[in-house]
Amino acid sequence: MPSHRNASLKVLVVEDSKVVLKGLCNYLERMGIANPLTAETGLAALEVYERERPDIILLDALLPDIDGFEIAKRIRAKEHPEEWTAIIFLTSMSKDEDLVHGITAGGDDYLMKPISQVVLQAKISAMRRLVEMQRKLVDTTHQLNAANKELQRLSTTDGLTGIANRRMFDELLMREWRRCQRAKKPLALVMVDVDFFKQYNDTYGHQAGDACLQAVAKQMARSAPRASDVAARYGGEEFALILGDTEIDGAVWVANYIRQNIADLKMAHKRSPFNHVTVSCGVAAIVPSDKATPNELILSADHALYLAKEQGRDRVAGMGN
């Protein structure tokens, strides 16, 4: 009785005898495998394989142009990493060394001629199970890869703002430090703090506070267009922007751009002397060397941020060497 599961199987029959070829196709159609693919030469078989990527190949060991063993080798060489095609040799050779040759060439099983319908059905059923296992394995692998990518993204992304988190910031700062050290280029860091944020939260509530941080993060991300520029949530209402190959003057310009863009949002803040949300920015730059560390750059930017706050907030202060 034909199996509905067989209907999804794609089977290629490679046989130079038209009589045997027709008989095998009839057998397969009785098993529920509609329209089996056919080829009468080795070259034709390779063309069909490239075009159709069948699940199972019934492969005559002796063909008029290229023998089946060579065809099996070429098919295995053409398979993609996640592909597997079941190859069953059709042969009248019964010597052990011939069978070993077929398996070594890339075959998975063999059928002795003349071919019995009962035995063929059993072999196809066994290979069908293996094909289904392969498909499930590929699907599971894809799902695991997608899950791992998502876990990686979550582990390096701040859940509230969607930009890099502190862990990612630390990793990328070290990476940029080393890159700029090799290139003998300056590395700049901008530290950004939302002014009077506690008062904002107390006045407008935590949901509004979260929306405020998201708006600031969006402006930070917009200010990091190069692949090496990284905007991160450093902690609480504090953000950081890593700017590789950037002098202090350029970093100060970027910081002022961020500060102005956030001020232009006009997010109401009645407990701020500015009456809207503002940020203070501290900027530092250094040419990395063995005599300094990334932590020194962070401390310098932090100190500059402290100066910006001391000088009245809603401003940028910079330190460079």
Side-chain angles (χ1 to χ4, degrees):
M1 186 175 181
S3 167
H4 291 298
R5 288 184 294 181
N6 283 342
S8 64
L9 276 182
K10 195 179 284 189
V11 179
L12 167 62
V13 184
V14 186
E15 170 62 60
D16 62 329
S17 166
K18 293 184 183 297
V19 174
V20 175
L21 182 63
K22 183 174 177 57
L24 288 170
C25 289
N26 287 338
Y27 286 164
L28 292 170
E29 287 168 357
R30 288 174 199 164
M31 295 176 205
I33 299 170
N35 302 315
L37 305 166
T38 61
E40 296 181 21
T41 66
L43 288 176
L46 289 171
E47 289 175 4
V48 174
Y49 171 79
E50 286 279 20
R51 185 176 68 248
E52 301 289 343
R53 289 315 219 223
D55 301 302
I56 300 172
I57 300 177
L58 302 178
L59 180 57
D60 190 4
L62 298 177
L63 292 165
D65 52 350
I66 309 171
D67 69 41
F69 304 127
E70 178 61 25
I71 296 298
K73 286 180 184 178
R74 293 190 191 184
I75 287 172
R76 293 301 181 216
K78 291 175 181 291
E79 283 179 332
H80 299 142
E82 292 180 345
E83 281 185 319
W84 173 72
T85 303
I87 298 176
I88 302 175
F89 277 111
L90 312 176
T91 179
S92 55
M93 297 180 288
S94 58
K95 293 181 181 178
D96 289 347
E97 53 267 32
D98 293 325
L99 302 178
V100 169
H101 186 195
I103 300 301
T104 303
D108 299 294
D109 207 338
Y110 64 92
L111 278 167
M112 297 298 297
K113 292 182 177 180
I115 294 162
S116 157
Q117 180 178 349
V118 174
V119 176
L120 175 63
Q121 184 164 355
K123 299 279 189 181
I124 293 291
S125 295
M127 290 302 164
R128 175 186 54 76
R129 288 194 293 271
L130 291 175
V131 166
E132 289 179 350
M133 287 173 61
Q134 167 71 5
R135 289 174 180 172
K136 288 177 182 177
L137 179 60
V138 169
D139 288 343
T140 302
T141 301
H142 286 163
Q143 290 170 13
L144 285 173
N145 287 340
N148 285 333
K149 285 180 181 178
E150 180 62 11
L151 285 172
Q152 176 67 19
R153 186 189 69 80
L154 291 174
S155 71
T156 58
T157 303
D158 177 61
L160 175 64
T161 63
I163 61 175
N165 61 13
R166 176 63 183 273
R167 173 184 170 184
M168 189 65 168
F169 167 82
D170 290 339
E171 290 180 6
L172 293 181
L173 179 61
M174 179 57 72
R175 186 185 303 173
E176 275 300 285
W177 180 275
R178 289 170 179 159
R179 186 183 71 82
C180 289
Q181 183 175 0
R182 289 193 300 270
K184 295 181 172 56
K185 298 288 186 179
L187 174 63
L189 180 63
V190 179
M191 301 296 287
V192 177
D193 189 80
V194 182
D195 296 327
F196 308 107
F197 184 71
K198 182 181 184 303
Q199 292 87 334
Y200 186 91
N201 252 348
D202 292 344
T203 304
Y204 299 99
H206 289 290
Q207 281 191 331
D210 288 349
C212 174
L213 294 177
Q214 289 168 343
V216 172
K218 185 177 181 180
Q219 295 302 321
M220 295 286 294
R222 283 179 57 191
S223 305
R226 298 180 302 177
S228 59
D229 298 339
V230 178
R233 187 180 180 191
Y234 193 72
E237 68 271 23
E238 195 169 0
F239 297 84
L241 182 61
I242 303 169
L243 298 170
D245 194 8
T246 305
E247 302 276 0
I248 185 68
D249 290 345
V252 166
W253 186 94
V254 171
N256 270 309
Y257 178 73
I258 294 169
R259 182 197 62 77
Q260 188 61 55
N261 283 345
I262 292 168
D264 288 345
L265 295 175
K266 299 296 181 183
M267 290 184 285
H269 188 351
K270 63 185 179 182
R271 292 184 62 185
S272 163
F274 308 106
N275 293 317
H276 58 264
V277 173
T278 59
V279 295
S280 298
C281 305
V283 183
I286 190 174
V287 177
S289 69
D290 292 334
K291 296 179 180 178
T293 66
N295 193 52
E296 291 178 42
L297 180 62
I298 294 173
L299 291 174
S300 294
D302 263 336
H303 183 62
L305 177 59
Y306 172 79
L307 292 177
K309 292 180 180 180
E310 284 291 297
Q311 292 166 8
R313 302 178 193 257
D314 187 23
R315 68 192 60 226
V316 173
M319 300 181 67
N321 59 334

